Amino acid sequence: SRPVPDYTTSTLSDEDTALYWQSSYTLESGLTLTGGLRYQNSERSINRSNNSNSVNSSDDWDDVLPKLGASSRLSETDTLYASVAKGFQSGGFNFYGGTPESAQYDSAESWNYELGWSSSWNDGRVHTRVAAFYSDFENYQVYRLNPMNPTEAYMVNAEEATSYGVELEAEAQASETITLSAAVGLVNAEFHSYTDNVLRGVLGPMAAGYEFGGNDINFVPEYTANLAAHIQLPWNLSMQWEVQGIGTYWLDEANTAEQDAYALVNGRISYKRDNWELFAYWRNLTDEGYSNNALDLRYTDYSNPAAPRDAGMILHIPGRPRTLGVGLTAS
């Protein structure tokens, strides 16, 4: 027998409308207050058909997004700041050929909090910043490859998720020609309540493997670090070297496949004159091997699809290898 082709044709339509206001006011004490308000309306529609079903649907999502911030000059060199803001991502429809019920995913909302302190030292030649942040998500949107058919992908909502951490940055003018910078960020991101209802509909309510509450959010590294040097050379030449450090992160929502920490070495040299620039760059100079995505194939045992296989069935997709290039820009 010959395979039966199954083509899916999808057309999506997006329309967004927003109104936004923001203003700041500085008190005599030096305290600056910032307030903002945004209204957004997002309309989405889909017309999709394949051999088994068709979907012709539309919906809209709207939200009012406040923002409040405050900053205080503690001295000529130190500033303390804080902010709280609401975030929004529109809902929408999936291209992939699932059931009409699984075609739609909901909008996501978040409350984001940040507290930070910035300072300058050594007559302004050194600048530092330290900040702590916390984000609380509702209906966090997750992009997933269909474990039953990895040629398809879909968006699904995780009911509750959080992310928190700290960031530290420093920049120093080491000399007239050399600027050094360093940064490190520590983050913890976790699904608190997450049921993949698309996968649940495929496997059945008595199966296992579609509950991810309590797991770490995949592709979020435990830390990121950056160390860079910008060197101004004679004859309008400049060079930049950078070392990026990326901490351990999970490749799947089930937290069964892990990418170990790694470092990337990047560089750039350029000749700039007037309004044009000629440059050469190199990324991942040491040709470090790492995975930046994965295909979850643990459910492809069609004799028993309700029982996901072990992590050996997760196919790692490699990140960008050593890359060299040249470019020309003009403005």
Side-chain angles (χ1 to χ4, degrees):
S1 62
R2 299 177 61 184
V4 178
D6 184 3
Y7 299 101
T8 298
T9 303
S10 298
T11 302
L12 291 178
S13 176
D14 301 346
E15 184 176 322
D16 294 282
T17 306
L19 296 173
Y20 182 73
W21 159 83
Q22 178 174 308
S23 63
S24 299
Y25 183 74
T26 301
L27 305 177
E28 292 183 0
S29 62
L31 179 67
T32 299
L33 301 176
T34 301
L37 195 65
R38 177 186 177 93
Y39 170 77
Q40 181 168 332
N41 179 272
S42 300
E43 297 182 4
R44 303 287 185 263
S45 63
I46 186 171
N47 189 336
R48 191 193 72 202
S49 62
N50 58 24
N51 291 359
S52 57
N53 59 57
S54 63
V55 176
N56 191 347
S57 185
S58 63
D59 207 339
D60 71 288
W61 294 263
D62 65 345
D63 209 343
V64 177
L65 310 174
K67 174 184 178 181
L68 182 63
S71 64
S72 177
R73 291 290 299 270
L74 304 179
S75 67
E76 290 295 324
T77 59
D78 295 271
T79 300
L80 184 67
Y81 65 91
S83 67
V84 56
K86 187 179 182 182
F88 170 78
Q89 286 178 289
S90 170
F93 298 92
N94 286 310
F95 268 118
Y96 94 111
T99 64
E101 291 76 19
S102 66
Q104 184 170 322
Y105 57 91
D106 205 357
S107 60
E109 294 181 347
S110 64
W111 282 99
N112 309 287
Y113 309 87
E114 184 175 359
L115 177 65
W117 170 43
S118 61
S119 185
S120 62
W121 312 75
N122 198 17
D123 295 328
R125 287 190 289 271
V126 179
H127 297 273
T128 59
R129 185 183 75 91
V130 57
F133 64 89
Y134 175 82
S135 296
D136 187 21
F137 302 94
E138 182 177 349
N139 288 328
Y140 182 87
Q141 294 177 355
V142 183
Y143 182 78
R144 285 197 23 102
L145 293 166
N146 185 353
M148 297 297 295
N149 182 357
T151 66
E152 299 175 344
Y154 58 86
M155 193 80 78
V156 68
N157 295 105
E159 294 88 341
E160 296 179 14
T162 59
S163 174
Y164 60 88
V166 294
E167 297 174 342
L168 299 94
E169 298 177 356
E171 183 178 277
Q173 189 72 40
S175 68
E176 291 185 359
T177 59
I178 299 177
T179 302
L180 304 176
S181 62
V184 62
L186 306 175
V187 62
N188 183 82
E190 183 178 334
F191 295 118
H192 290 284
S193 177
Y194 176 16
T195 300
D196 186 342
N197 288 317
V198 176
L199 183 58
R200 183 177 186 269
V202 174
L203 300 182
M206 302 305 293
Y210 53 78
E211 294 283 357
F212 305 114
N215 291 357
D216 293 333
I217 298 178
N218 50 326
F219 302 115
V220 179
E222 293 178 338
Y223 69 85
T224 56
N226 183 282
L227 184 63
H230 184 273
I231 307 168
Q232 189 64 45
L233 301 171
W235 308 300
N236 296 324
L237 291 170
S238 65
M239 175 180 288
Q240 179 162 322
W241 285 95
E242 174 189 62
V243 178
Q244 287 182 299
I246 296 92
T248 301
Y249 55 86
W250 295 106
L251 295 169
D252 64 327
E253 289 84 350
N255 291 178
T256 59
E258 193 175 42
Q259 168 61 53
D260 294 333
Y262 58 93
L264 302 178
V265 179
N266 307 315
R268 191 176 191 270
I269 186 170
S270 68
Y271 175 80
K272 189 173 184 179
R273 185 169 182 176
D274 299 329
N275 63 334
W276 60 274
E277 180 183 21
L278 177 66
F279 61 90
Y281 65 89
W282 46 95
R283 298 172 183 157
N284 192 7
L285 185 61
T286 59
D287 204 22
E288 179 74 18
Y290 63 98
S291 300
N292 67 352
N293 209 336
L295 289 175
D296 188 349
L297 305 179
R298 297 175 302 138
Y299 299 85
T300 53
D301 181 4
Y302 294 104
S303 64
N304 186 15
R309 293 184 177 183
D310 58 23
M313 288 299 292
I314 293 182
L315 178 65
H316 292 225
I317 299 176
R320 176 178 289 182
R322 178 169 49 226
T323 304
L324 309 177
V326 295
L328 174 67
T329 63
S331 61

